[in-house]
Amino acid sequence: MPRALVLVILGLALLGLGWIFLGPKGKKGLDPAQGARFALGREDAPLVVVDFSNYLCPHCQDHALNVLPRLKAEYIDTGKVRYLFRDFPFPGQENVIRAGEAAACANEQGRYYEYHEALFRAAGDWGRLGGEGLDRYLVDLAEQLGLDKARFGQCLASGRMREGVLADQRLANDLGLTGTPTFFIAGEQRTGFLPYEEWKALLDKALGKP
């Protein structure tokens, strides 16, 4: 085997070992629900689900647009589940951080869920933008949903929602999360897209249904 190839293989092996031993492990005793800013469902619901998502993650989009509406109708709106949303932008994703800020501004007008869903629907458009162009798009999206455009724009321009997004990101890192979407279902962690049928089985089991 050529010496160069051996060195490459050895280098990759060392990187893999470095990730295993030095990569995100998660701090013990952290509550993924603590400090969540956005929620659907009754506060006294018997089951809590925490959703760490990224607005430019295709699997998150699939969940938000195709699975979550069914969960909302059958488990959240019926009082069985309280569903908590958390932002998990990856390093360098300033546009995802800004999208999270925009969703928080929509929450001030009682429209977090609708805006959250709209961000996923339009990800192919705003995901290529940045700076003033991105901000204009996010404000226009709010106007399309019937929000007060001036109030929303002032909120977004203030930058006061950024720390909340970054706090979610820090928590995700402290929990050792490495992918999106990541869910905590009654405290049990699941990473990756789950079809509705799997959600139903997990939720019914957690709720004590046969």
Side-chain angles (χ1 to χ4, degrees), residues 152-165:
F152 181 94
Q154 289 168 1
C155 173
L156 188 62
S158 74
R160 57 190 171 84
M161 298 301 184
R162 181 180 177 87
E163 178 52 33
V165 179

Side-chain angles (χ1 to χ4, degrees), residues 126-145:
W126 66 261
R128 300 187 297 269
L129 302 176
E132 293 182 2
L134 175 59
D135 281 6
R136 284 195 299 271
Y137 189 98
L138 296 172
V139 171
D140 287 345
L141 186 61
E143 185 178 29
Q144 292 171 27
L145 293 176

Side-chain angles (χ1 to χ4, degrees), residues 31-55:
D31 180 359
Q34 184 67 38
R37 296 165 295 146
F38 314 116
L40 291 175
R42 289 169 37 182
E43 290 187 13
D44 62 348
L47 182 61
V48 174
V49 171
V50 186
D51 172 349
F52 284 84
S53 284
N54 181 300
Y55 283 116

Side-chain angles (χ1 to χ4, degrees), residues 12 31 56-58 62 67 76 87 127 130 145 148 186 189 194 200 202:
L12 291 173
D31 180 359
L56 292 183
C57 157
D62 198 2
V67 176
I76 299 170
D87 292 308
L145 293 176
D148 182 320
Q189 181 179 332
L194 303 175
K200 180 174 175 57
L202 290 169

